[in-house]
Short mmCIF file of all heavy atoms in Angstrom, two decimals:
data_model
loop_
_atom_site.label_atom_id
_atom_site.label_comp_id
_atom_site.label_asym_id
_atom_site.label_seq_id
_atom_site.Cartn_x
_atom_site.Cartn_y
_atom_site.Cartn_z
N LEU A 618 11.81 19.09 0.23
CA LEU A 618 11.79 17.73 -0.15
C LEU A 618 13.06 16.97 0.27
O LEU A 618 14.15 17.52 -0.10
CB LEU A 618 11.51 17.43 -1.58
CG LEU A 618 11.58 16.01 -2.17
CD1 LEU A 618 10.53 15.19 -1.46
CD2 LEU A 618 11.33 16.05 -3.73
N ASN A 619 12.90 15.88 0.90
CA ASN A 619 14.14 14.99 1.24
C ASN A 619 13.77 13.52 1.00
O ASN A 619 13.09 12.95 1.64
CB ASN A 619 14.45 15.20 2.80
CG ASN A 619 15.69 14.42 3.14
OD1 ASN A 619 16.00 13.32 2.56
ND2 ASN A 619 16.38 14.86 4.10
N LYS A 620 14.22 13.23 -0.32
CA LYS A 620 13.86 11.95 -0.81
C LYS A 620 14.51 10.73 0.04
O LYS A 620 13.97 9.74 0.15
CB LYS A 620 14.17 11.81 -2.22
CG LYS A 620 13.29 12.63 -3.22
CD LYS A 620 13.75 12.37 -4.63
CE LYS A 620 12.83 13.26 -5.60
NZ LYS A 620 13.14 12.90 -7.00
N ALA A 621 15.64 10.97 0.52
CA ALA A 621 16.33 10.06 1.32
C ALA A 621 15.53 9.69 2.52
O ALA A 621 15.41 8.48 2.93
CB ALA A 621 17.80 10.43 1.67
N SER A 622 14.95 10.59 3.22
CA SER A 622 14.15 10.53 4.37
C SER A 622 12.69 10.26 4.07
O SER A 622 11.86 10.05 4.82
CB SER A 622 14.37 11.57 5.34
OG SER A 622 15.68 11.85 5.67
N GLN A 623 12.25 10.45 2.77
CA GLN A 623 10.95 10.27 2.20
C GLN A 623 10.00 11.17 3.06
O GLN A 623 8.93 10.94 3.64
CB GLN A 623 10.39 8.86 2.50
CG GLN A 623 11.23 7.88 1.53
CD GLN A 623 10.83 6.44 1.66
OE1 GLN A 623 11.61 5.65 1.97
NE2 GLN A 623 9.68 6.14 1.24
N TYR A 624 10.40 12.51 2.95
CA TYR A 624 9.82 13.60 3.83
C TYR A 624 9.59 14.82 2.99
O TYR A 624 10.45 15.19 2.18
CB TYR A 624 10.76 13.93 4.92
CG TYR A 624 10.46 14.89 5.83
CD1 TYR A 624 9.70 14.67 7.03
CD2 TYR A 624 10.81 16.22 5.85
CE1 TYR A 624 9.31 15.46 7.87
CE2 TYR A 624 10.45 17.08 6.72
CZ TYR A 624 9.82 16.78 7.78
OH TYR A 624 9.44 17.77 8.70
N VAL A 625 8.39 15.40 3.15
CA VAL A 625 8.13 16.65 2.45
C VAL A 625 7.49 17.48 3.41
O VAL A 625 6.76 17.19 4.36
CB VAL A 625 6.93 16.41 1.33
CG1 VAL A 625 6.80 17.51 0.41
CG2 VAL A 625 7.31 15.11 0.47
N SER A 626 7.77 18.82 3.35
CA SER A 626 7.21 19.77 4.19
C SER A 626 6.83 21.05 3.59
O SER A 626 7.28 21.34 2.41
CB SER A 626 8.23 20.04 5.49
OG SER A 626 9.10 20.77 4.91
N LEU A 627 5.87 21.77 4.19
CA LEU A 627 5.37 23.08 3.69
C LEU A 627 5.61 24.04 4.81
O LEU A 627 5.04 23.94 5.80
CB LEU A 627 3.98 23.01 3.17
CG LEU A 627 3.42 24.21 2.63
CD1 LEU A 627 4.02 24.67 1.29
CD2 LEU A 627 1.82 24.17 2.47
N LEU A 628 6.25 25.11 4.54
CA LEU A 628 6.31 26.19 5.59
C LEU A 628 5.55 27.36 4.98
O LEU A 628 5.66 27.77 3.81
CB LEU A 628 7.94 26.59 5.63
CG LEU A 628 8.90 25.66 6.10
CD1 LEU A 628 10.14 26.13 6.23
CD2 LEU A 628 8.44 25.09 7.46
N ILE A 629 4.84 28.02 5.85
CA ILE A 629 3.99 29.25 5.45
C ILE A 629 4.46 30.31 6.40
O ILE A 629 4.32 30.26 7.62
CB ILE A 629 2.51 28.92 5.69
CG1 ILE A 629 2.00 27.74 4.99
CG2 ILE A 629 1.68 30.20 5.29
CD1 ILE A 629 0.48 27.39 5.21
N ARG A 630 5.21 31.32 5.80
CA ARG A 630 5.65 32.41 6.47
C ARG A 630 4.63 33.50 6.81
O ARG A 630 3.69 33.63 5.89
CB ARG A 630 6.89 33.04 5.81
CG ARG A 630 8.21 32.20 5.89
CD ARG A 630 9.26 32.86 5.08
NE ARG A 630 8.92 33.12 3.72
CZ ARG A 630 9.09 32.32 2.82
NH1 ARG A 630 9.47 31.00 3.13
NH2 ARG A 630 8.69 32.55 1.59
N ASP A 631 4.81 34.34 7.76
CA ASP A 631 3.78 35.38 8.12
C ASP A 631 2.36 34.80 7.89
O ASP A 631 1.52 35.35 7.14
CB ASP A 631 4.11 36.61 7.00
CG ASP A 631 3.19 37.74 7.41
OD1 ASP A 631 2.86 37.90 8.50
OD2 ASP A 631 2.94 38.57 6.44
#
Side-chain angles (χ1 to χ4, degrees):
Chain A
L618 174 60
N619 184 326
K620 290 186 179 180
S622 301
Q623 296 178 244
Y624 179 88
V625 193
S626 65
L627 179 70
L628 302 178
I629 306 175
R630 289 181 299 282
D631 188 24

